[in-house]
Amino acid sequence: MDPSRIGTALRSARTRAGWTREALAFHSGVSWSAIAQIESGRRKDIRLSSLVALADALQIRVDHLVGSEATVSPKPVGHRVLIYESDEEFVGTATPFVTEGIKRSECVLAVTTKRQTDLLHDALGAGTRGVEFKDADEWYRSPSETLNAYRSFVNEQLEAGVHWIRIVGEAVWAGQSEAEIEAWMRYESMVNLSFAAVPATLMCVYDARRAPTAVLADARRTHPEIVHADERGPSPDYGAAEDFLLAPRQLRTIV
């Protein structure tokens, strides 16, 4: 870490907030003298706990102070897509994904249809004790409700002390209009922005036997990673969320 870079960024953020060093010391719990030394670049051994406290008080991210690459070129969240054509494919990929989360003591959430939930229950056996299940029909009512539901769940878990969250999610496509499908695909792209700083791994599952062809094509464009069985890699069709969301709406043929 470059102390002079941190000092400049801290002073700028404090000034923008309209705070004196005394005010920042009060809100952050970091001493006035320590703040003065950091801002001047004299303190070389800045504690991570101090950076976190200062960033929290100023409502900015730590990497903004540090000036890391993540500030200017954030990496997409671990947002994967599984497009499966059989129950065996679903179980063969979703089960190891869930099991890995359990082994790592992560918070695991599965939001799937009743059929897929039953398949996971059968495959996991006693392992289901480490998984929270939600009904996709209830969870995926609208993009805004779903996004808020995931945000609330994530915030509750992080406040409870969870270190990482792992989610399997499956939207329901039956009865959706073309406009509704368009909104859901924009939602998928928005996830890459909304959860960019969240300690989470998301895997969206699409049943190729039921989802429209246009939906599957957009799924490849809105997920940075594509996964099958134990193989995972970047999706060659992925487009940055900003590009996808700002692109002119194109009418798609739903088949």
Side-chain angles (χ1 to χ4, degrees):
M1 296 186 294
D2 182 353
S4 62
R5 167 64 178 80
I6 295 174
T8 300
L10 178 61
R11 183 168 57 253
S12 174
R14 176 178 61 77
T15 302
R16 188 171 60 251
W19 286 354
T20 62
R21 288 174 177 166
E22 290 83 357
L24 179 55
F26 172 79
H27 287 286
S28 67
V30 179
S31 69
W32 178 92
S33 60
I35 293 172
Q37 290 178 1
I38 293 172
E39 288 190 350
S40 67
R42 295 195 306 273
R43 173 159 292 195
K44 307 301 181 183
D45 55 341
I46 307 172
R47 295 179 179 178
L48 178 58
S49 59
S50 296
L51 287 176
V52 171
L54 292 167
D56 284 348
L58 292 166
Q59 297 186 338
I60 58 176
R61 290 170 52 172
V62 171
D63 56 18
H64 175 81
L65 293 177
V66 176
S68 69
E69 183 181 354
T71 306
V72 293
S73 56
K75 296 182 179 178
V77 66
H79 191 199
R80 309 173 186 176
V81 62
L82 163 65
I83 299 175
Y84 65 92
E85 297 182 357
S86 68
D87 292 344
E88 290 75 19
E89 283 186 82
F90 169 79
V91 172
T93 306
T95 303
F97 177 79
V98 169
T99 302
E100 182 180 35
I102 296 172
K103 289 180 178 178
R104 293 182 176 183
S105 299
E106 298 173 355
C107 169
V108 182
L109 170 67
V111 186
T112 54
T113 61
K114 183 179 185 306
R115 176 180 178 81
Q116 306 314 103
T117 297
D118 290 343
L119 289 172
L120 277 176
H121 269 281
D122 292 342
L124 292 168
T128 56
R129 289 194 296 268
V131 184
E132 184 169 348
F133 289 92
K134 298 290 184 181
D135 184 357
D137 288 310
E138 296 294 326
W139 195 273
Y140 285 87
R141 292 182 179 275
S142 73
S144 59
E145 287 183 46
T146 303
L147 194 61
N148 287 332
Y150 277 124
R151 283 172 174 163
S152 296
F153 178 84
V154 166
N155 289 337
E156 289 172 3
Q157 297 304 317
L158 294 179
E159 289 173 2
V162 168
H163 70 279
W164 201 270
I165 299 167
R166 184 172 294 240
I167 299 172
V168 179
E170 180 167 27
V172 179
W173 302 106
Q176 300 278 1
S177 68
E178 185 174 351
E180 289 170 329
I181 288 175
E182 178 74 19
W184 278 114
M185 298 322 298
R186 291 176 65 81
Y187 154 85
E188 286 282 32
S189 190
M190 182 65 72
V191 166
N192 297 313
L193 299 176
S194 297
F195 292 88
V198 173
T201 306
L202 320 175
M203 185 171 75
C204 299
V205 294
Y206 285 72
D207 189 340
R209 300 166 298 183
R210 295 175 175 82
T213 302
V215 166
L216 301 180
D218 270 352
R220 295 182 176 93
R221 286 192 279 265
T222 55
H223 293 77
E225 298 179 334
I226 192 164
V227 61
H228 181 264
D230 59 350
E231 297 181 2
R232 175 169 59 92
S235 172
D237 300 320
Y238 173 70
E242 294 88 345
D243 296 333
F244 185 91
L245 293 169
L246 294 176
R249 183 180 185 275
Q250 297 178 350
L251 293 178
R252 300 183 177 89
T253 301
I254 306 302
V255 296

mmCIF file with all atom_site columns, all heavy atoms in Angstrom, residues 240-254:
data_model
loop_
_atom_site.group_PDB
_atom_site.id
_atom_site.type_symbol
_atom_site.label_atom_id
_atom_site.label_alt_id
_atom_site.label_comp_id
_atom_site.label_asym_id
_atom_site.label_entity_id
_atom_site.label_seq_id
_atom_site.pdbx_PDB_ins_code
_atom_site.Cartn_x
_atom_site.Cartn_y
_atom_site.Cartn_z
_atom_site.occupancy
_atom_site.B_iso_or_equiv
_atom_site.pdbx_formal_charge
_atom_site.auth_seq_id
_atom_site.auth_comp_id
_atom_site.auth_asym_id
_atom_site.auth_atom_id
_atom_site.pdbx_PDB_model_num
ATOM 1   N N   . ALA A 1 240 ? -20.413 -6.929  -20.763 1.00 0.00 ? 240 ALA A N   1
ATOM 2   C CA  . ALA A 1 240 ? -20.434 -6.136  -19.537 1.00 0.00 ? 240 ALA A CA  1
ATOM 3   C C   . ALA A 1 240 ? -21.842 -5.622  -19.274 1.00 0.00 ? 240 ALA A C   1
ATOM 4   O O   . ALA A 1 240 ? -22.597 -5.300  -20.199 1.00 0.00 ? 240 ALA A O   1
ATOM 5   C CB  . ALA A 1 240 ? -19.464 -4.972  -19.644 1.00 0.00 ? 240 ALA A CB  1
ATOM 6   N N   . ALA A 1 241 ? -22.202 -5.554  -17.987 1.00 0.00 ? 241 ALA A N   1
ATOM 7   C CA  . ALA A 1 241 ? -23.558 -5.154  -17.618 1.00 0.00 ? 241 ALA A CA  1
ATOM 8   C C   . ALA A 1 241 ? -23.923 -3.796  -18.196 1.00 0.00 ? 241 ALA A C   1
ATOM 9   O O   . ALA A 1 241 ? -25.050 -3.588  -18.657 1.00 0.00 ? 241 ALA A O   1
ATOM 10  C CB  . ALA A 1 241 ? -23.687 -5.136  -16.097 1.00 0.00 ? 241 ALA A CB  1
ATOM 11  N N   . GLU A 1 242 ? -22.968 -2.859  -18.185 1.00 0.00 ? 242 GLU A N   1
ATOM 12  C CA  . GLU A 1 242 ? -23.258 -1.528  -18.713 1.00 0.00 ? 242 GLU A CA  1
ATOM 13  C C   . GLU A 1 242 ? -23.655 -1.598  -20.186 1.00 0.00 ? 242 GLU A C   1
ATOM 14  O O   . GLU A 1 242 ? -24.584 -0.909  -20.632 1.00 0.00 ? 242 GLU A O   1
ATOM 15  C CB  . GLU A 1 242 ? -22.040 -0.609  -18.557 1.00 0.00 ? 242 GLU A CB  1
ATOM 16  C CG  . GLU A 1 242 ? -21.674 -0.306  -17.112 1.00 0.00 ? 242 GLU A CG  1
ATOM 17  C CD  . GLU A 1 242 ? -20.720 -1.351  -16.541 1.00 0.00 ? 242 GLU A CD  1
ATOM 18  O OE1 . GLU A 1 242 ? -20.587 -2.431  -17.154 1.00 0.00 ? 242 GLU A OE1 1
ATOM 19  O OE2 . GLU A 1 242 ? -20.122 -1.086  -15.481 1.00 0.00 ? 242 GLU A OE2 1
ATOM 20  N N   . ASP A 1 243 ? -22.964 -2.435  -20.952 1.00 0.00 ? 243 ASP A N   1
ATOM 21  C CA  . ASP A 1 243 ? -23.266 -2.559  -22.374 1.00 0.00 ? 243 ASP A CA  1
ATOM 22  C C   . ASP A 1 243 ? -24.622 -3.227  -22.588 1.00 0.00 ? 243 ASP A C   1
ATOM 23  O O   . ASP A 1 243 ? -25.409 -2.801  -23.444 1.00 0.00 ? 243 ASP A O   1
ATOM 24  C CB  . ASP A 1 243 ? -22.168 -3.367  -23.078 1.00 0.00 ? 243 ASP A CB  1
ATOM 25  C CG  . ASP A 1 243 ? -20.818 -2.674  -23.041 1.00 0.00 ? 243 ASP A CG  1
ATOM 26  O OD1 . ASP A 1 243 ? -20.808 -1.430  -22.955 1.00 0.00 ? 243 ASP A OD1 1
ATOM 27  O OD2 . ASP A 1 243 ? -19.790 -3.370  -23.073 1.00 0.00 ? 243 ASP A OD2 1
ATOM 28  N N   . PHE A 1 244 ? -24.894 -4.273  -21.806 1.00 0.00 ? 244 PHE A N   1
ATOM 29  C CA  . PHE A 1 244 ? -26.157 -5.000  -21.983 1.00 0.00 ? 244 PHE A CA  1
ATOM 30  C C   . PHE A 1 244 ? -27.343 -4.123  -21.601 1.00 0.00 ? 244 PHE A C   1
ATOM 31  O O   . PHE A 1 244 ? -28.351 -4.070  -22.304 1.00 0.00 ? 244 PHE A O   1
ATOM 32  C CB  . PHE A 1 244 ? -26.147 -6.270  -21.133 1.00 0.00 ? 244 PHE A CB  1
ATOM 33  C CG  . PHE A 1 244 ? -27.351 -7.149  -21.348 1.00 0.00 ? 244 PHE A CG  1
ATOM 34  C CD1 . PHE A 1 244 ? -27.331 -8.150  -22.307 1.00 0.00 ? 244 PHE A CD1 1
ATOM 35  C CD2 . PHE A 1 244 ? -28.503 -6.981  -20.588 1.00 0.00 ? 244 PHE A CD2 1
ATOM 36  C CE1 . PHE A 1 244 ? -28.436 -8.963  -22.506 1.00 0.00 ? 244 PHE A CE1 1
ATOM 37  C CE2 . PHE A 1 244 ? -29.616 -7.790  -20.781 1.00 0.00 ? 244 PHE A CE2 1
ATOM 38  C CZ  . PHE A 1 244 ? -29.581 -8.787  -21.746 1.00 0.00 ? 244 PHE A CZ  1
ATOM 39  N N   . LEU A 1 245 ? -27.228 -3.416  -20.480 1.00 0.00 ? 245 LEU A N   1
ATOM 40  C CA  . LEU A 1 245 ? -28.349 -2.634  -19.981 1.00 0.00 ? 245 LEU A CA  1
ATOM 41  C C   . LEU A 1 245 ? -28.618 -1.393  -20.819 1.00 0.00 ? 245 LEU A C   1
ATOM 42  O O   . LEU A 1 245 ? -29.762 -0.930  -20.901 1.00 0.00 ? 245 LEU A O   1
ATOM 43  C CB  . LEU A 1 245 ? -28.096 -2.230  -18.526 1.00 0.00 ? 245 LEU A CB  1
ATOM 44  C CG  . LEU A 1 245 ? -28.077 -3.386  -17.519 1.00 0.00 ? 245 LEU A CG  1
ATOM 45  C CD1 . LEU A 1 245 ? -27.563 -2.908  -16.173 1.00 0.00 ? 245 LEU A CD1 1
ATOM 46  C CD2 . LEU A 1 245 ? -29.466 -3.982  -17.371 1.00 0.00 ? 245 LEU A CD2 1
ATOM 47  N N   . LEU A 1 246 ? -27.587 -0.831  -21.440 1.00 0.00 ? 246 LEU A N   1
ATOM 48  C CA  . LEU A 1 246 ? -27.760 0.394   -22.214 1.00 0.00 ? 246 LEU A CA  1
ATOM 49  C C   . LEU A 1 246 ? -28.026 0.136   -23.693 1.00 0.00 ? 246 LEU A C   1
ATOM 50  O O   . LEU A 1 246 ? -28.353 1.070   -24.432 1.00 0.00 ? 246 LEU A O   1
ATOM 51  C CB  . LEU A 1 246 ? -26.511 1.284   -22.066 1.00 0.00 ? 246 LEU A CB  1
ATOM 52  C CG  . LEU A 1 246 ? -26.263 1.853   -20.664 1.00 0.00 ? 246 LEU A CG  1
ATOM 53  C CD1 . LEU A 1 246 ? -24.956 2.619   -20.631 1.00 0.00 ? 246 LEU A CD1 1
ATOM 54  C CD2 . LEU A 1 246 ? -27.416 2.741   -20.224 1.00 0.00 ? 246 LEU A CD2 1
ATOM 55  N N   . ALA A 1 247 ? -27.890 -1.118  -24.104 1.00 0.00 ? 247 ALA A N   1
ATOM 56  C CA  . ALA A 1 247 ? -28.124 -1.431  -25.513 1.00 0.00 ? 247 ALA A CA  1
ATOM 57  C C   . ALA A 1 247 ? -29.599 -1.249  -25.849 1.00 0.00 ? 247 ALA A C   1
ATOM 58  O O   . ALA A 1 247 ? -30.473 -1.489  -25.008 1.00 0.00 ? 247 ALA A O   1
ATOM 59  C CB  . ALA A 1 247 ? -27.690 -2.866  -25.807 1.00 0.00 ? 247 ALA A CB  1
ATOM 60  N N   . PRO A 1 248 ? -29.915 -0.820  -27.071 1.00 0.00 ? 248 PRO A N   1
ATOM 61  C CA  . PRO A 1 248 ? -31.324 -0.683  -27.473 1.00 0.00 ? 248 PRO A CA  1
ATOM 62  C C   . PRO A 1 248 ? -32.043 -2.009  -27.339 1.00 0.00 ? 248 PRO A C   1
ATOM 63  O O   . PRO A 1 248 ? -31.479 -3.067  -27.634 1.00 0.00 ? 248 PRO A O   1
ATOM 64  C CB  . PRO A 1 248 ? -31.231 -0.244  -28.938 1.00 0.00 ? 248 PRO A CB  1
ATOM 65  C CG  . PRO A 1 248 ? -29.871 0.341   -29.079 1.00 0.00 ? 248 PRO A CG  1
ATOM 66  C CD  . PRO A 1 248 ? -28.985 -0.448  -28.144 1.00 0.00 ? 248 PRO A CD  1
ATOM 67  N N   . ARG A 1 249 ? -33.263 -1.952  -26.883 1.00 0.00 ? 249 ARG A N   1
ATOM 68  C CA  . ARG A 1 249 ? -34.045 -3.175  -26.713 1.00 0.00 ? 249 ARG A CA  1
ATOM 69  C C   . ARG A 1 249 ? -34.322 -3.799  -28.079 1.00 0.00 ? 249 ARG A C   1
ATOM 70  O O   . ARG A 1 249 ? -34.773 -3.141  -28.992 1.00 0.00 ? 249 ARG A O   1
ATOM 71  C CB  . ARG A 1 249 ? -35.376 -2.867  -26.008 1.00 0.00 ? 249 ARG A CB  1
ATOM 72  C CG  . ARG A 1 249 ? -36.210 -4.116  -25.728 1.00 0.00 ? 249 ARG A CG  1
ATOM 73  C CD  . ARG A 1 249 ? -37.497 -3.721  -25.035 1.00 0.00 ? 249 ARG A CD  1
ATOM 74  N NE  . ARG A 1 249 ? -38.262 -4.905  -24.653 1.00 0.00 ? 249 ARG A NE  1
ATOM 75  C CZ  . ARG A 1 249 ? -39.086 -5.544  -25.447 1.00 0.00 ? 249 ARG A CZ  1
ATOM 76  N NH1 . ARG A 1 249 ? -39.238 -5.151  -26.694 1.00 0.00 ? 249 ARG A NH1 1
ATOM 77  N NH2 . ARG A 1 249 ? -39.756 -6.610  -25.025 1.00 0.00 ? 249 ARG A NH2 1
ATOM 78  N N   . GLN A 1 250 ? -34.042 -5.081  -28.186 1.00 0.00 ? 250 GLN A N   1
ATOM 79  C CA  . GLN A 1 250 ? -34.288 -5.801  -29.422 1.00 0.00 ? 250 GLN A CA  1
ATOM 80  C C   . GLN A 1 250 ? -35.411 -6.790  -29.208 1.00 0.00 ? 250 GLN A C   1
ATOM 81  O O   . GLN A 1 250 ? -35.419 -7.550  -28.239 1.00 0.00 ? 250 GLN A O   1
ATOM 82  C CB  . GLN A 1 250 ? -33.037 -6.557  -29.875 1.00 0.00 ? 250 GLN A CB  1
ATOM 83  C CG  . GLN A 1 250 ? -31.868 -5.644  -30.211 1.00 0.00 ? 250 GLN A CG  1
ATOM 84  C CD  . GLN A 1 250 ? -30.631 -6.437  -30.610 1.00 0.00 ? 250 GLN A CD  1
ATOM 85  O OE1 . GLN A 1 250 ? -30.613 -7.650  -30.454 1.00 0.00 ? 250 GLN A OE1 1
ATOM 86  N NE2 . GLN A 1 250 ? -29.652 -5.755  -31.120 1.00 0.00 ? 250 GLN A NE2 1
ATOM 87  N N   . LEU A 1 251 ? -36.387 -6.756  -30.097 1.00 0.00 ? 251 LEU A N   1
ATOM 88  C CA  . LEU A 1 251 ? -37.472 -7.728  -29.997 1.00 0.00 ? 251 LEU A CA  1
ATOM 89  C C   . LEU A 1 251 ? -36.933 -9.103  -30.321 1.00 0.00 ? 251 LEU A C   1
ATOM 90  O O   . LEU A 1 251 ? -36.196 -9.291  -31.284 1.00 0.00 ? 251 LEU A O   1
ATOM 91  C CB  . LEU A 1 251 ? -38.588 -7.354  -30.980 1.00 0.00 ? 251 LEU A CB  1
ATOM 92  C CG  . LEU A 1 251 ? -39.332 -6.052  -30.660 1.00 0.00 ? 251 LEU A CG  1
ATOM 93  C CD1 . LEU A 1 251 ? -40.368 -5.784  -31.737 1.00 0.00 ? 251 LEU A CD1 1
ATOM 94  C CD2 . LEU A 1 251 ? -39.980 -6.112  -29.284 1.00 0.00 ? 251 LEU A CD2 1
ATOM 95  N N   . ARG A 1 252 ? -37.278 -10.091 -29.484 1.00 0.00 ? 252 ARG A N   1
ATOM 96  C CA  . ARG A 1 252 ? -36.790 -11.442 -29.681 1.00 0.00 ? 252 ARG A CA  1
ATOM 97  C C   . ARG A 1 252 ? -37.958 -12.369 -29.991 1.00 0.00 ? 252 ARG A C   1
ATOM 98  O O   . ARG A 1 252 ? -39.072 -12.147 -29.521 1.00 0.00 ? 252 ARG A O   1
ATOM 99  C CB  . ARG A 1 252 ? -36.060 -11.934 -28.433 1.00 0.00 ? 252 ARG A CB  1
ATOM 100 C CG  . ARG A 1 252 ? -34.850 -11.072 -28.057 1.00 0.00 ? 252 ARG A CG  1
ATOM 101 C CD  . ARG A 1 252 ? -34.149 -11.668 -26.849 1.00 0.00 ? 252 ARG A CD  1
ATOM 102 N NE  . ARG A 1 252 ? -32.977 -10.914 -26.511 1.00 0.00 ? 252 ARG A NE  1
ATOM 103 C CZ  . ARG A 1 252 ? -32.977 -9.866  -25.690 1.00 0.00 ? 252 ARG A CZ  1
ATOM 104 N NH1 . ARG A 1 252 ? -34.086 -9.473  -25.141 1.00 0.00 ? 252 ARG A NH1 1
ATOM 105 N NH2 . ARG A 1 252 ? -31.866 -9.227  -25.426 1.00 0.00 ? 252 ARG A NH2 1
ATOM 106 N N   . THR A 1 253 ? -37.690 -13.387 -30.756 1.00 0.00 ? 253 THR A N   1
ATOM 107 C CA  . THR A 1 253 ? -38.708 -14.385 -31.045 1.00 0.00 ? 253 THR A CA  1
ATOM 108 C C   . THR A 1 253 ? -38.670 -15.416 -29.956 1.00 0.00 ? 253 THR A C   1
ATOM 109 O O   . THR A 1 253 ? -37.668 -16.105 -29.767 1.00 0.00 ? 253 THR A O   1
ATOM 110 C CB  . THR A 1 253 ? -38.453 -15.049 -32.402 1.00 0.00 ? 253 THR A CB  1
ATOM 111 O OG1 . THR A 1 253 ? -38.447 -14.036 -33.410 1.00 0.00 ? 253 THR A OG1 1
ATOM 112 C CG2 . THR A 1 253 ? -39.544 -16.058 -32.706 1.00 0.00 ? 253 THR A CG2 1
ATOM 113 N N   . ILE A 1 254 ? -39.747 -15.533 -29.226 1.00 0.00 ? 254 ILE A N   1
ATOM 114 C CA  . ILE A 1 254 ? -39.825 -16.492 -28.134 1.00 0.00 ? 254 ILE A CA  1
ATOM 115 C C   . ILE A 1 254 ? -40.388 -17.787 -28.675 1.00 0.00 ? 254 ILE A C   1
ATOM 116 O O   . ILE A 1 254 ? -41.505 -17.838 -29.201 1.00 0.00 ? 254 ILE A O   1
ATOM 117 C CB  . ILE A 1 254 ? -40.727 -15.969 -27.009 1.00 0.00 ? 254 ILE A CB  1
ATOM 118 C CG1 . ILE A 1 254 ? -40.238 -14.566 -26.574 1.00 0.00 ? 254 ILE A CG1 1
ATOM 119 C CG2 . ILE A 1 254 ? -40.738 -16.919 -25.840 1.00 0.00 ? 254 ILE A CG2 1
ATOM 120 C CD1 . ILE A 1 254 ? -38.819 -14.532 -26.101 1.00 0.00 ? 254 ILE A CD1 1
#
